[in-house]
Amino acid sequence: MKSATQKKDSRVRRHARIRARVIGTATKPRLAVFRSNRAIYAQLINDDTATTIASADSRTAKGATLLLKGTEVGAEIASKAKKLGVTTIVFDRGGFKYIGVVKAVAEGARTEGLVF
């Protein structure tokens, strides 16, 4: 069985491969997702200036499960993006599989009108 450090190193390597291709700009920022055992975090990032435009997390979200909280986080980040005039983004899954909570964040953002 893999140890925790091996799992983290594998995820970091996967994320590096993704980041080599996914670049956010001012007009099309990168939606970066990080999943921990307790929470899900999402940020809109402009890589040209290396700044975070907006962020949301599940620590204050309402919902019984992390999956429901993830959908709410996606909707929250999408509403913040709309206020800033952003409608199109690129999705950065952070080396995590596109399943479960990571997928819920993406679907929550899509339901609020963000285009990937």
Side-chain angles (χ1 to χ4, degrees), residues 46-69:
N46 177 1
D47 288 319
D48 292 337
T49 59
T51 56
T52 299
I53 299 169
S55 65
D57 61 68
S58 65
R59 293 178 298 176
T60 58
K62 295 177 183 172
T65 64
L66 191 58
L67 193 66
L68 295 174
K69 289 179 180 182

Side-chain angles (χ1 to χ4, degrees), residues 11-24:
R11 187 193 68 80
V12 168
R13 281 195 303 273
R14 281 192 304 271
H15 192 203
R17 285 195 304 267
I18 293 166
R19 285 288 295 119
R21 289 177 264 132
V22 176
I23 299 167

Side-chain angles (χ1 to χ4, degrees), residues 81-102:
K82 280 187 171 182
K83 288 178 185 175
L84 296 169
V86 174
T87 57
T88 306
I89 60 164
V90 291
F91 190 71
D92 176 9
R93 59 187 172 91
F96 300 103
K97 288 184 179 180
Y98 186 78
I99 191 169
V101 182
V102 176

Side-chain angles (χ1 to χ4, degrees), residues 16-47:
R17 285 195 304 267
I18 293 166
R19 285 288 295 119
R21 289 177 264 132
V22 176
I23 299 167
T25 61
T27 57
K28 194 172 182 178
R30 173 171 56 103
L31 176 59
V33 175
F34 177 76
R35 177 183 59 84
S36 71
N37 289 337
R38 290 183 174 213
I40 185 88
Y41 305 88
Q43 295 181 5
L44 286 177
I45 301 170
N46 177 1
D47 288 319

